[in-house]
Amino acid sequence: EREEFCLHYQPIVSIDGGCLLGMEALVRWQHPDQGIIGPDAFIAIAEDTGLIRPLGSWILGQACRQLREWSEAGLPVGVLSVNLSGRQLTSSDLRDSVVDAITATGIRPAQLRFEITESVLMEDVEFSIQLLRGLLDVGVQLAVDDFGTGYSSLSYLKRLPVDTLKIDRSFINRLAVDPHDSAIVAAIVALAQALDLSVTAEGVERREQLDALRELGCQAAQGYLLAPPIAAEDVPGFMTARREARPASCEPHASAFR
Ligand code: C2E
Ligand code: CA
Ligand code: CA
């Protein structure tokens, strides 16, 4: 009501060419006295109180409006990822509100990707499969977030209609240091390839992690090494600086998103 929420956007890039593949929308609360408050401090409360529904629908609408605005400005930001929390999934009108947000802004459904954590998806797998099918029909993309932490049964994973796995940053953190973590990441990348899913590593902070991920065949990465979450108004400047620094090889891909 006081319009104190805003979205920041964190780039997701291809490990091979360094091209921008998309951005993840991350909510913040701009508190008048306390400054910017991160989602870990209020998403759980919004879930418990049910306020996640109005908040979630504002986030979805805002992400779509922003995507529209960037498209119109000729900024090829790629696919925009939006997080969905557990309580949003069980809302009976989720699919309708997704359709409404897409229709109202005229974006292409394939420009939108929803991220749902593995643990939420595994709470009721049959329900999740139905829900994801409904969203897939709309034409959006779907990702399993925090993958590796939610005790997926592999047979269920095969049945979940998703296109991307996001490897939880706890495994990336000690990648190239702890052989066990390297083995887990290697196994997730191989699993994704076998199931024909794309895979994104989260929380990439150091060069050696990026090198190890490249070696393992992971396609995409997100993390402070590549770029922090950026305020919406700073995204055009970020894109311009990137365009100047990057070879034209990223452009054909980029133009596909216009
Ligand atoms: P997440 O979906 O796993 O989002 C990634 C988090 O990792 C973000 O924290 C991001 O700022 C942080 N991060 C990015 N790169 C790095 C890195 O290199 N190192 C480390 N240590 N962290 C990195 P943030 O923005 O504080 O969000 C925390 C969580 O809050 C998100 O985790 C997500 O679960 C939830 N969240 C954020 N925005 C939304 C939203 O719009 N809706 C819902 N339902 N949940 C959200
Ligand atoms: Ca996420
Ligand atoms: Ca995550």
Side-chain angles (χ1 to χ4, degrees):
E1 283 166 8
R2 298 205 303 263
E3 299 187 357
E4 289 171 9
F5 289 112
C6 69
L7 296 180
H8 284 197
Y9 298 87
Q10 188 175 32
I12 299 172
V13 305
S14 73
I15 291 180
D16 254 349
C19 298
L20 182 69
L21 300 174
M23 303 232 176
E24 178 175 4
L26 295 159
V27 70
R28 272 98 184 88
W29 177 6
Q30 294 173 294
H31 194 283
D33 309 320
Q34 295 176 36
I36 292 187
I37 300 177
D40 285 334
F42 60 84
I43 288 285
I45 301 169
E47 283 250 296
D48 290 346
T49 54
L51 282 172
I52 192 68
R53 292 203 179 155
L55 176 57
S57 81
W58 177 81
I59 290 168
L60 174 62
Q62 182 59 24
C64 293
R65 285 189 291 275
Q66 189 63 75
L67 194 55
R68 168 88 212 176
E69 194 184 309
W70 285 332
S71 284
E72 282 174 352
L75 289 176
V77 296
V79 174
L80 189 58
S81 291
V82 174
N83 292 283
L84 290 180
S85 73
R87 189 106 178 228
Q88 279 176 282
L89 293 192
T90 55
S91 152
S92 58
D93 62 356
L94 174 66
R95 188 174 180 278
D96 290 343
S97 54
V98 169
V99 171
D100 288 349
I102 290 172
T103 314
T105 50
I107 62 165
R108 286 186 296 114
Q111 287 180 288
L112 208 55
R113 185 169 79 174
F114 290 110
E115 297 189 0
I116 306 164
T117 64
E118 184 188 20
S119 50
V120 163
L121 287 172
M122 288 301 136
E123 267 167 33
D124 182 346
V125 179
E126 295 306 326
F127 174 83
S128 295
I129 292 171
Q130 290 310 318
L131 180 106
L132 295 180
R133 280 195 189 137
L135 290 174
L136 209 63
D137 279 347
V138 175
V140 298
Q141 303 188 40
L142 298 166
V144 183
D145 207 352
D146 302 348
F147 188 78
T149 61
Y151 310 103
S152 270
S153 147
L154 296 184
S155 61
Y156 282 134
L157 184 62
K158 190 181 73 176
R159 294 180 53 213
L160 283 181
V162 296
D163 26 61
T164 302
L165 301 182
K166 291 192 82 174
I167 307 173
D168 190 69
R169 67 167 181 265
S170 59
F171 301 114
I172 307 302
N173 189 22
R174 293 180 50 76
L175 184 67
V177 180
D178 183 335
H180 291 120
D181 284 357
S182 303
I184 290 170
V185 173
I188 296 176
V189 172
L191 179 71
Q193 283 167 351
L195 293 174
D196 205 18
L197 302 172
S198 68
V199 60
T200 300
E202 298 187 317
V204 178
E205 294 179 355
R206 298 185 302 277
R207 176 66 52 186
E208 64 267 25
Q209 295 168 328
L210 194 66
D211 293 339
L213 289 163
R214 184 181 295 113
E215 201 110 306
L216 292 173
C218 181
Q219 298 145 336
Q222 177 180 359
Y224 299 151
L225 176 70
L226 304 148
I230 306 168
E233 61 268 26
D234 295 333
V235 167
F238 167 82
M239 298 284 292
T240 309
R242 250 188 98 78
R243 216 176 266 173
E244 280 158 13
R246 290 270 140 208
S249 62
C250 284
E251 284 303 309
H253 174 86
S255 62
F257 289 105
R258 289 228 180 104

